Amino acid sequence: MAGDGANDGDRRMAEMEAETIIARLEAARRAARPRRGDADLNPDMAPTRPTLIPAAVLVPIILHPSRPTVLLTRRTDHLTDHAGQISFPGGKVDPGDADARAAALRETREEVGIAPERIEIVGDLDPYVTRTGFQVEPIVGFLRPPVAPRPDPFEVAEVFEVPLSFLIDRRNHQRHSREFEGRTRHFYAMPYDRHYIWGATAGMLVNLADVLEGVAP
């Protein structure tokens, strides 16, 4: 009986956490927050394309009873774009996609084998504009365990989870820089275990932290 009571308590805590996330996302939506992007830390770095390409990613929060986690992927090393980088499931919005949410769900199924019906869409983060000319719509979705990803071996080398508490902890939001095409580029980074989360993915996670804390950009 004691074990059952503990499990019930864990479930209640998870539901309370989920309700808080939904409420903060809704408050951010009503606030009409601006676009974000690589230029946030690099004001002189404009996108390389005059017309932005629509894209979408899923920010998958797994509601484990003990603590929520965020599912991330490591791209395979042979890909032309962003090889070996840590990312959310996602990609370009195709003509057949009804909207960004549909694109994020389709890409999640294709990349990590998680069906759309397993995902509860609960909100959006701010659009994120990359230096390479994409406007990415980050779609936040809940998954309830058990979650058994089946990654596409061509695109995804690894699927892993990071505690949400780690990703929204300001102490883990590092600012790094490197030389790129003769200029110093600044970016967010969140090294976790053996994974180096950086760039647009880290920037969107900073946005998630802002939303959950109710912080204006």
Side-chain angles (χ1 to χ4, degrees):
M1 295 294 292
D4 291 341
N7 289 336
D8 289 342
D10 288 343
R11 282 192 290 270
R12 283 195 296 272
M13 288 180 63
E15 289 303 323
M16 288 174 61
E17 186 111 29
E19 290 173 5
T20 300
I21 293 171
I22 293 171
R24 297 289 169 80
L25 285 166
E26 176 60 23
R29 185 192 65 79
R30 292 197 303 269
R33 298 160 69 91
R35 291 192 310 188
R36 303 223 184 177
D38 293 345
D40 291 352
L41 300 182
N42 306 275
D44 60 340
M45 187 174 287
T48 56
R49 293 185 176 95
T51 302
L52 297 176
I53 298 174
V57 298
L58 182 73
V59 181
I61 299 176
I62 304 178
L63 298 176
H64 292 291
S66 56
R67 59 178 180 175
T69 63
V70 175
L71 182 145
L72 293 164
T73 72
R74 180 170 62 83
R75 295 169 65 82
T76 50
D77 293 331
H78 63 79
L79 294 175
T80 303
D81 297 322
H82 311 296
Q85 292 186 12
I86 305 302
S87 65
F88 296 114
K92 289 190 294 185
V93 177
D94 286 348
D97 295 322
D99 52 23
R101 293 188 175 198
L105 292 174
R106 173 184 55 76
E107 288 281 353
T108 300
R109 181 199 285 272
E110 293 174 0
E111 290 184 13
V112 296
I114 297 175
E117 54 267 24
R118 289 292 317 277
I119 301 166
E120 177 190 357
I121 299 298
V122 294
D124 312 83
L125 300 178
D126 302 332
Y128 190 99
V129 177
T130 69
R131 181 194 63 83
T132 51
F134 289 87
Q135 177 165 306
V136 184
E137 303 288 340
I139 311 300
V140 181
F142 287 161
L143 291 88
R144 299 179 188 276
V147 177
R150 299 185 305 279
D152 174 0
F154 182 81
E155 289 192 62
V156 179
E158 183 181 1
V159 178
F160 62 99
E161 299 176 34
V162 181
L164 178 61
S165 58
F166 175 90
L167 294 170
I168 64 175
D169 189 334
R170 299 296 183 182
R171 293 171 295 183
N172 299 322
H173 297 178
Q174 303 176 14
R175 294 194 182 195
H176 292 187
S177 63
R178 66 177 57 169
E179 293 299 313
F180 181 76
E181 295 181 348
R183 299 162 68 184
T184 301
R185 178 188 174 188
H186 303 277
F187 53 89
Y188 287 108
M190 303 177 189
Y192 176 76
D193 196 11
R194 57 187 174 82
H195 299 292
Y196 187 67
I197 306 166
W198 70 287
T201 301
M204 292 178 217
L205 288 167
V206 170
N207 183 192
L208 177 62
D210 289 344
V211 167
L212 296 185
E213 289 185 359
V215 175

